[in-house]
Amino acid sequence: MDAGLDAFLYQADLLKANILSFISASAYITPRTCVVDSFLILHSLVDNLEDLLNQEDDPIADVKGQLNFLHHELLLSHSSIHEMRSPQPSEIGEAKEALMCIGGIAHQAQYLITTFLVKDIPVWYVINRLTDLNNRIEILRKELQLITKK
């Protein structure tokens, strides 16, 4: 009976060692949550903006210029994040804050656009907020590009 228990404990230790080895190795080959979340949020917003910008009835005529700029910046940010899908560990640390901020800006932009479409906020407010979000996303995108070019 002791031999069976010893064999079981030995196998459990091997399994534990393999799991720990896999976890430590996979930390460098899988993207962090903030990268994945930001990528998905951006992808969703880019798709929504494309649909909105291509609508015939043009419910966004008053803010179309800002939305075109936002769409352009988000596409560029999207490609920068896509380049980081298999990042070096040092890139994750450097880019984590920028990635989380881009995801937050994308959330804010989505909410702002939705609120504007249902006529809950005035045009002047949307224009001011979109201008601010565009400036912030442009700065963060340039920061990400610098990190990925290292």
Side-chain angles (χ1 to χ4, degrees):
M1 180 99 104
D2 288 332
L5 183 59
D6 287 340
F8 174 76
L9 291 176
Y10 176 74
Q11 290 298 323
D13 286 339
L14 279 178
L15 180 62
K16 180 181 175 183
N18 285 336
I19 290 171
L20 290 175
S21 174
F22 175 77
I23 289 172
S24 64
S26 67
Y28 297 110
I29 60 172
T30 57
R32 301 289 197 262
T33 302
C34 69
V35 177
V36 174
D37 290 348
S38 294
F39 187 76
L40 294 175
I41 292 166
L42 281 179
H43 186 73
S44 173
L45 183 55
V46 166
D47 285 346
N48 291 345
L49 278 174
E50 284 176 8
D51 293 342
L52 190 59
L53 291 168
N54 292 326
Q55 282 186 1
E56 297 283 330
D57 58 353
D58 212 10
I60 55 157
D62 295 328
V63 294
K64 196 164 193 166
Q66 285 87 355
L67 290 179
N68 274 322
F69 186 81
L70 179 65
H71 183 255
H72 175 74
E73 286 298 318
L74 290 173
L75 281 174
L76 294 174
S77 297
H78 189 271
S79 65
S80 293
I81 291 174
H82 187 68
E83 290 174 12
M84 294 186 71
R85 293 294 292 259
S86 300
Q88 299 297 321
S90 62
E91 286 180 357
I92 285 287
E94 294 176 39
K96 188 173 184 173
E97 187 174 332
L99 291 168
M100 289 189 304
C101 287
I102 288 173
I105 290 170
H107 258 308
Q108 291 175 37
Q110 184 68 52
Y111 179 77
L112 187 65
I113 293 165
T114 302
T115 308
F116 174 70
L117 290 174
V118 296
K119 313 267 189 249
D120 275 353
I121 53 177
V123 173
W124 65 265
Y125 180 78
V126 175
I127 291 171
N128 287 337
R129 288 293 298 140
L130 282 175
T131 301
D132 178 53
L133 293 175
N134 285 336
N135 291 337
R136 289 173 45 205
I137 197 98
E138 183 178 21
I139 292 167
L140 291 167
R141 177 191 51 81
K142 288 177 182 178
E143 185 179 324
L144 276 179
Q145 285 177 332
L146 287 174
I147 292 168
T148 56
K149 288 181 182 179
K150 286 183 180 178

